[in-house]
Amino acid sequence: MRCTFLLFVVLCSVLLLGCSTGPGEKAGQYNFKQGMAETQFTFLENAPPEQIYPGSTFKIIVNVDNQAAYDVTEGIVQIIGLDEKYFSVAPLEQSFNTLAGRSLTAPEGEKTFLEFWGSAGNLFENADEYTANFFLKAHYRSTVDFADTLCINSRMYETYDAGCKVETHKSYDGQGAPLAVTELDEIIAPGDGAQAEFRLHLQNRGEGTVNQVNLGPAKLGSEELRCHFQGEADEQQFIRFDEQQEATVICTKYIGSLNSYSTTLSLSLVYDYDYQQQQSLRLVK
């Protein structure tokens, strides 16, 4: 009877291990550069407290947690909008260095804690409480990489080419950052002197605001691509996002008269990002 029970326990353990979604072979294959993810800014519990008393001191502790798949740099966090008569906070601004993004070697991403010291003033005469609204504002710089395998075919109308087939339009759910390439259009001008044009549609899918975006290296296979933002001069390699929080990058490449083949289109972008959230402090008797 005892042997039967032990065998049952061993079999259950094997089954549980086989169904596990924890670290293992699958974890080592996970692609963090997909979907939408961004740096998160939250307050630690009781920092600040739910109630603050006149003449007391308190802390505001901000947890900066990089959940994107890319490093963030040049980070600044500010506390803005408090009336010093009731709440005095110092410093009002703190910076943070590079925070590593999520990766196979650091699947949780990197975080840091920023401490702001506060002191409370007095309530207005005959007042039982006072609520002060303020803003936590953050700014940082980060990157996003796009890569996909495309079919290049300068002889699209020749039926004897049995190679790959051009997909003229493709959609994406993101690359692990708030700024995302959401769509790609491939336009081939066939024949002698054939040229390929790629239109990559960018969109902010995060909770903050994308400001300036700079073009990084772009390649088709191992060869460089010439790219620019739609509506801008060819030599301008940056743009400020408008209120729509979207833009289009146009890349072109001479491809010659070749049979169809598959290759990788890759593009890197550098962007500045602003985030803001409203919070409040409550002063009570």
Side-chain angles (χ1 to χ4, degrees), residues 230-268:
Q230 184 177 18
E232 304 295 334
D234 289 358
E235 64 273 11
Q236 183 166 320
Q237 298 296 292
F238 67 91
I239 194 174
R240 291 193 66 85
F241 258 38
D242 58 18
E243 293 182 357
Q244 301 300 317
Q245 289 289 282
E246 56 187 20
T248 299
V249 176
I250 300 175
C251 302
T252 56
K253 182 68 177 176
Y254 169 75
I255 57 175
S257 181
L258 299 172
N259 291 332
S260 62
Y261 65 97
S262 296
T263 189
T264 300
L265 186 152
S266 61
L267 172 69
S268 180

Side-chain angles (χ1 to χ4, degrees), residues 60-62 64 74-79 90-96 113-117 137-139:
I60 298 176
I61 303 178
V62 181
V64 185
E74 303 177 30
I76 298 174
V77 174
Q78 298 173 300
I79 303 295
L92 290 173
E93 177 181 301
Q94 289 207 55
S95 60
F96 58 90
F113 299 94
L114 305 178
E115 294 188 4
F116 299 81
W117 285 90
K137 290 190 175 183
H139 172 87

Side-chain angles (χ1 to χ4, degrees), residues 144-147 200 215-219 227 249 251 265-269:
V144 60
D145 297 326
F146 171 84
L200 296 95
L215 288 173
K219 290 186 175 182
C227 302
V249 176
C251 302
L265 186 152
S266 61
L267 172 69
S268 180
L269 300 163

Side-chain angles (χ1 to χ4, degrees), residues 34 57 59 83 147 158 182 200 209 219 248 250 266 284:
Q34 62 181 347
T57 60
K59 277 186 179 182
D83 187 342
E158 297 184 11
T182 58
L200 296 95
T209 302
K219 290 186 175 182
T248 299
I250 300 175
S266 61
V284 299

Side-chain angles (χ1 to χ4, degrees), residues 48 59 86 90 108 142 226 248 252 257 282:
K59 277 186 179 182
Y86 297 99
E108 300 299 323
S142 190
R226 186 179 65 183
T248 299
T252 56
S257 181
R282 184 165 171 250

Side-chain angles (χ1 to χ4, degrees), residues 267-282:
L267 172 69
S268 180
L269 300 163
V270 180
Y271 64 94
D272 292 311
Y273 199 72
D274 288 329
Y275 173 79
Q276 175 178 296
Q277 62 172 270
Q278 183 174 321
Q279 295 288 341
S280 62
L281 299 176
R282 184 165 171 250

